[in-house]
Structures are given as structure tokens and as C-alpha cells.
Amino acid sequence: MTALNHAILALLLPLASAVVIALFLRQRGAVASWLSTGVAGAIAALSIHLLLGGERFESSVEWLRFGAFSVSLGVKYDDLAALMLFIVGFVGFLIHLFSLGYMHDDKARARFFGGLSIFMFSMIGIVLADNLFMIFIFWELVGFSSWLLINHYHEKQSAADASKKAFIVNRVGDFGFLLGIIMCYWANGTVNFTELGQDHVFSTAIPLLLFCGAMGKSAQMPLQVWLPDAMEGPTPVSALIHAATMVAAGIFMLCRINVLMVPQALEVIMWIGTITALYAALCAIVQRDIKKVLAYSTLSQLGYMVAAFGLGSIAVEHGGHQMLLAAGVGAAMFHLTTHAFFKALMFLGSGSVIHGCHHEQDIFKMGGLMKKMPVTFTTFTIGVLAIIGMPAFAGFFSKDAILYLAMTKNTAVFAILAFTAVLTSFYMVRLWKITFLGEARSDAAKHAHESGLVMTLPLVILAALSIFGGTWFFHSGIYPKLAGTVALLIPEAHGSAHTTILLVSLAVMTVGGGAALLFYKSAATDTLEEKFRFGFSVLTGLKESFDRVYNYYVAKVQQRFAMVLNFLEQIVLAGAIIRGLAGFAGLVGYGARALYTGSLHAYVYWFLLGAVLLWAYAAGIF
């Protein structure tokens, strides 16, 4: 088989799995779970095979044509797609493997694994798409499959509401995305990525409209409100959708359309990412639900990636000449990759904790889990060290690349992101200490138990990647084969700049983590809430304020506007126009029917009257 056939196989296998489960295995959860997991393993193997093979290719076929307008379905497997396909395939497989244990007793696990398969199909379609129209098709399929997975516990009203919220908020962003695609085609006559890279019209509106799609999928302000609520889904869904794949689709799409970016658009994107990173970090400090802490952490890290992309290019010396390199793309994708490893690890680790504590999710009702769940504790600790930027761990290298780029390009953004890194260390060490240290604070924690091998094995593998993902993967012989010139795009400090960034990284990690260790007690109450009630209330209100604003808009503006439209429809359209014209036609009909008397004399008189009127008209009297 050719490399193209392998790529198409990786795309179609999960679709086949979803179809088989939906048609034949809805009542056979065990078989469905193993089928979906086996397919995910095959995708992971294919992604690694394509990654190591080093072959890059493009191919497309025409799907629809309307005159001069045509829509093609094609595959573009370049350096960017190779990296993203590996992340989706490998991390997706580990999450499937974890789900075998986590969802073992779920009565609807066939539906769950079918949803995972259709989600994998949708994500791989985005990764391999060679044009914006094709991306949009799979983009919407991702929205559908995420709704299905978040709504897995549909009997819970909160889960049903969260899935609808995610679906609707993403549609808002997708409307802008669709407008951007239409405008791009109208301006350039193509939406094919290769053709756009060769020649295109420079515009501020096109990239910003396309960025609306990323704002929805990657939960950037002001469309961030859906992601924390989406924690109502099963924990493996949170790991798959909100750590490594769906939310990363927005970052991947931005890197894919980098050729369309102009400085004005990049500046807007940079500030939206920066503000989102800070906002989410502040919200994370006051969360009690272990999954919601990680959800806001994901929001913050996505803000980091968006800000990195928005920082754009830097000038470097290469062969005695000044070159502009798209360092923002390299830094964003670098952090996307390392974040996929350590955030998937922590989400699955939280799932192991929830499973071991009999579905308890409040961290203040945990405690003492270090001894009861040693594997989960060790691997989760590695994930925490990676995200707070411990030297030699994966997150240290990717976060340093972003901070260095920010220091080079924009001092204000650098200061905000550095402060955000302090907050990241603070809330992650808070989560770690309250969850695992001290004494058990509930019966669930007292009777906690370590998860089985099928759940702990993915944790161990992801923990290894969280340690070595920043050095071995990106600086060994594999990455140059994988990404070619992309290795040059990762900003790397040298000399005094390297020393400055290293000291900043150590300082933010030490200040944030040390403050959390010293400040928080292993108790059933939140120390911050006890000592700084006003500040705690302000931080708690940050998240709720957006919901209140949106609820007010829907109830007071949108709903009333809808009522006005409904009134106009009922009175003007349905009443005056439709029913009015129908009534007039009915009256004419009644009048005409009254003329049919059945009397020959009456018909003769009407004939003579008609003849007179016709003569008068012909003679010009009228």
C-alpha cells in the first residue's frame, strides 16, 4: 500500500467502526469497546508508520461542481499534518485503552465507544483536509460528535444542558468561520491550502473571520463559556476532547492558514489569547471540582498557544542573511504537542482518582490518596511538574519557547504570560496537595483504591512522554524527519536571553508552587475562601459573570427580538398578507359564484353588459 492509502485507511477505519457499532453492536458493549479500541490502535500504528516514513504527499478528487465553482475532497499530508495525526492517533488510542476500564460498568458503553470512533473520524478528517471547505465539513462533524459524547449521561439535566451549550456556542464561532471561507473563496478563487500558499489576496477580515472558528473550538474569549460545563461528560471524553484533540483543532487550523495572516489580524489574535490565558488561570484558583480545575487549566494553556501564534515571525541570522521565520507556528505547535501529553495524563489521572474514590470529584473531600493510589499519584505528579515548567520536563521547553518569543516581540504580553505561569504553578500545586496529601476527608477517600492495569498503563506511557516529550521527541533524529524545516521554527533563546528566560521560568514556578504549598492546608475547607473571602468571591464571579451576561442577552434582547419577529410574522406575514390575500381571494370566489344563477336571462344580460364595456374600451371612452 502507498502512503496515501495508509492515510485514507486511517481516516476510514474509525468511520467503519462507528457504523458497525451503530448497526450491529448497540447491545453488545464489550465487543463494541474492543472494536473501537482496536481501530484506535491501528490508527496509532498508521500514524507512527507515516511519521517515520518521511513521505509527504497531496491528492484530491472533485466532489461537486456548479458551473465554475467546485468542491474537492483531498488529502494534504505535510509536516504539520504528520505531527497532528500522531497526536490524535497515539493519545486517542491511550484514551480508548483507559476507557476500557473506566467505562467497564456503563450500560451505554457501546454508544460511548461509537461516539469515540466518529469523533476520531472527524478529527482525522480535519488533520488531512487539503482545503477549507473540507475542513468545515469535518469541523461540523467534530461539533456533532462532541455533543454526543458530552451528552453521554443524558438523563442528567446538567449534562444535557452542557452539551447543548457546547453545540450552540460553537455554532456562533462556526458562523464566522463559514463567512471567512466564503470571503476567502470570493477574494482568491480557491480555498486550497497549497494554492493559497502560492498566491492570495492580503486581507484583515478573512483571517479574523476564520479565527472565529478557532475561538469556538479552542474556547477563546468570549466563546470560552462552554468548555468548563463540558466536564459533565465522562472523564475520558474530557481527556480526548478537552486536552489533546478537539480544542487543539483551532490551533491546528490557525497554523494551517498561517499564509493568510497579516500583522493587524495577528495582533488581535495575540491579545485574545493572552487575555484568555490570564482569565482562565484566575478562574482555576477557586474551583473545587478536580475536572473543572483542569478544564480552566486547558483554557489557559490554549490561550498560551493562541498568543504564541499571534506573536508571529521573528528575524534570525541564517547563513549570514536575515530571515523571517514563522516562530509563532513552531511555538504554538510545540506547546500543543507537549500539552497533549501532560494534560491527557492529568485528565486520565483525575479519572483514576474519581474512579478510585467512587465518583467523588470535590478535591476537598479527598486527601490521603498518595498512599492509596501510588501509581496515579506518581504519574499525576509528573503531569503537574510538566505543566508548571519544571526543568527537563516537556512543559518547560515549550513554555520557555513561548515566553522567549513574547519577550522578543511584546513586553506587555511577556509580563502577562509570566504572571499567568505563576498562577498556573499556584493552582496546580494547590490541586495536587489537597487531592493527594494529608488525611482522607471523606468515606470515599478512606476507601479509595488504585485503578487496574488497563487504566494505569496509559498513565505510565503519558508520564514518560511528559518527561521526555520536550527533548527526545523534538531534538532527536525523529523530529527533523517529521517536521523538516519546522524544527527551525521553534524559537530558542541563546546567550543572555537564554539565561533570562531560564531564571524567569524557575522564578515563576518557585513563587507559584511554593506559595500554594505554604498557603493551603490539607483540610475540608478552602484556605483562600476562609482568609480572603472578598477576593475569593471576585474570582468565583469571573466565570459566572459571562454566563450572567449571556443569559441576560438571551432573555432580555434575543428573546424579545424573537417575540417581535414572531408578532410580525403572525400579524403581518401570516395575518395581513397570507390570510388577507386568502380572504380576498375567497371573497372574489364567493362573488363570482353568486353570478352563476342558472338563469339564461341573467347570462344574456351579463353578456350584453360585457359587450358594451368592450366597445367602450375599444372606442377609447375609458
Side-chain angles (χ1 to χ4, degrees):
M1 294 178 68
T2 65
L4 174 61
N5 290 335
H6 284 130
I8 295 174
L9 184 62
L11 174 64
L12 296 181
L13 274 176
L15 176 62
S17 170
V19 170
V20 170
I21 291 172
L23 294 180
F24 306 110
L25 301 177
R26 284 182 292 179
Q27 304 302 320
R28 305 185 65 181
V31 179
S33 63
W34 282 105
L35 172 63
S36 181
T37 304
V39 165
I43 295 169
L46 287 169
S47 69
I48 295 172
H49 172 73
L50 288 168
L51 183 155
L52 297 178
E55 186 176 346
R56 304 293 179 260
F57 51 86
E58 290 185 53
S59 179
S60 65
V61 294
E62 188 174 279
W63 180 40
L64 292 173
R65 174 171 288 278
F66 301 99
F69 173 75
S70 66
V71 178
S72 296
L73 297 180
V75 171
K76 181 180 176 68
Y77 188 81
D78 58 357
D79 303 327
L80 196 62
L83 176 58
M84 195 67 186
L85 183 62
F86 168 76
I87 295 170
V88 173
F90 190 73
V91 176
F93 167 64
L94 293 179
I95 292 170
H96 273 77
L97 191 62
F98 181 90
S99 301
L100 288 176
Y102 191 87
M103 304 297 292
H104 182 269
D105 297 324
D106 194 287
K107 295 180 180 179
R109 58 175 166 164
R111 172 162 51 84
F112 173 81
F113 279 95
L116 289 185
S117 290
I118 197 68
F119 180 83
M120 292 287 284
F121 166 69
S122 307
M123 270 305 304
I124 294 172
I126 290 176
V127 172
L128 296 179
D130 73 338
N131 65 81
L132 283 170
F133 282 133
M134 186 174 171
I135 273 193
F136 188 76
I137 293 170
F138 287 102
W139 197 266
E140 295 305 298
L141 281 174
V142 164
F144 161 74
S145 53
S146 64
W147 169 82
L148 184 66
L149 291 169
I150 295 169
N151 196 35
H152 180 73
Y153 301 126
H154 57 83
E155 64 278 1
K156 290 172 56 180
Q157 187 61 43
S158 57
D161 291 341
S163 64
K164 287 187 290 186
K165 188 175 185 178
F167 191 84
I168 293 170
V169 172
N170 273 274
R171 296 296 74 71
V172 174
D174 293 352
F175 179 70
F177 186 32
L178 180 59
L179 290 179
I181 294 173
I182 294 170
M183 189 171 178
C184 182
Y185 185 85
W186 176 72
N188 297 288
T190 182
V191 289
N192 181 274
F193 298 126
T194 301
E195 295 174 2
L196 288 172
Q198 295 166 355
D199 183 37
H200 64 273
V201 174
F202 289 94
S203 165
T204 303
I206 292 174
L208 286 180
L209 285 171
L210 294 174
F211 175 60
C212 290
M215 289 173 65
K217 283 289 185 288
S218 294
Q220 297 299 288
M221 293 181 72
L223 300 181
Q224 83 288 355
V225 292
W226 68 269
L227 193 142
D229 291 358
M231 296 300 107
E232 291 291 340
T235 302
V237 171
S238 302
L240 183 65
I241 293 179
H242 309 124
T245 53
M246 174 179 164
V247 292
I251 311 300
F252 171 80
M253 187 269 289
L254 286 178
C255 295
R256 182 59 94 196
I257 62 169
N258 183 54
V259 294
L260 297 173
M261 291 295 161
V262 295
Q264 296 85 348
L266 285 172
E267 186 171 6
V268 172
I269 292 170
M270 174 191 70
W271 280 112
I272 288 177
T274 303
I275 294 169
T276 302
L278 177 61
Y279 161 81
L282 290 170
C283 290
I285 293 173
V286 295
Q287 300 301 314
R288 299 176 63 97
D289 188 314
I290 186 172
K291 288 172 64 177
K292 288 200 173 182
V293 176
L294 296 177
Y296 279 108
S297 172
T298 299
L299 266 179
S300 185
Q301 298 305 305
L302 289 168
Y304 251 87
M305 298 174 209
V306 171
F309 176 83
L311 286 165
S313 303
I314 58 173
V316 298
E317 286 283 344
H318 185 73
H321 301 284
Q322 283 280 338
M323 295 180 60
L324 279 179
L325 293 182
V329 174
M333 288 303 297
F334 191 4
H335 198 54
L336 184 153
T337 305
T338 59
H339 178 265
F341 298 148
F342 59 70
K343 188 53 65 66
L345 167 62
M346 286 189 288
F347 263 115
L348 294 185
S350 72
S352 179
V353 167
I354 294 168
H355 185 266
C357 291
H358 311 285
H359 299 284
E360 178 60 66
Q361 295 186 201
D362 189 339
I363 60 175
F364 291 97
K365 294 181 181 179
M366 296 178 183
L369 300 182
M370 178 177 67
K371 297 178 181 179
K372 295 179 179 295
M373 306 181 72
V375 177
T376 301
F377 166 74
T378 303
T379 54
F380 197 93
T381 302
I382 291 171
V384 170
L385 293 174
I387 194 174
I388 67 175
M390 175 66 73
F393 284 69
F396 169 79
F397 296 99
S398 58
K399 188 172 288 187
D400 271 16
I402 295 175
L403 289 176
Y404 168 64
L405 183 59
M407 185 178 71
T408 304
K409 299 281 291 186
N410 192 303
T411 304
V413 171
F414 171 72
I416 295 173
L417 293 182
F419 178 63
T420 302
V422 174
L423 297 177
T424 301
S425 297
F426 184 79
Y427 67 70
M428 287 309 305
V429 173
R430 164 189 180 263
L431 169 65
W432 174 79
K433 180 178 181 179
I434 294 171
T435 301
F436 291 100
L437 304 187
E439 299 297 326
R441 295 183 292 275
S442 67
D443 289 337
K446 290 176 182 177
H447 297 93
H449 58 85
E450 184 60 274
S451 303
L453 180 63
V454 74
M455 295 174 66
T456 54
L457 179 60
L459 299 182
V460 173
I461 296 172
L462 288 168
L465 289 170
S466 298
I467 297 173
F468 302 111
T471 52
W472 173 78
F473 189 72
F474 280 90
H475 298 295
S476 69
I478 291 180
Y479 188 69
K481 291 180 184 177
L482 164 69
T485 58
V486 178
L488 297 174
L489 303 181
I490 299 174
E492 188 174 356
H494 298 282
S496 60
H498 173 74
T499 304
T500 301
I501 290 298
L502 178 61
L503 291 176
V504 168
S505 297
L506 292 174
V508 299
M509 180 190 70
T510 304
V511 170
L517 279 174
L518 295 174
F519 181 74
Y520 282 99
K521 298 178 294 184
S522 296
T525 55
D526 193 322
T527 309
L528 183 65
E529 185 177 12
E530 287 182 341
K531 295 187 176 181
F532 303 98
R533 187 171 296 275
F534 175 75
F536 186 89
S537 300
V538 171
L539 293 177
T540 302
L542 275 177
K543 187 263 180 185
E544 297 174 355
S545 61
F546 275 90
D547 286 330
R548 283 196 292 267
V549 169
Y550 284 133
N551 289 337
Y552 178 86
Y553 166 77
V554 170
K556 303 298 184 181
V557 179
Q558 181 176 292
Q559 189 63 24
R560 292 182 179 182
F561 181 65
M563 291 171 65
V564 170
L565 291 181
N566 182 65
F567 174 80
L568 293 175
E569 190 273 335
Q570 293 292 328
I571 301 301
V572 179
L573 183 62
I577 297 178
I578 297 177
R579 291 191 178 92
L581 291 176
F584 178 74
L587 289 175
V588 172
Y590 280 120
R593 187 171 60 183
L595 300 177
Y596 290 89
T597 62
S599 171
L600 180 60
H601 298 85
Y603 294 157
V604 170
Y605 288 131
W606 281 117
F607 173 76
L608 292 175
L609 177 62
V612 171
L613 291 174
L614 179 61
W615 170 81
Y617 178 77
I621 294 176
F622 295 143

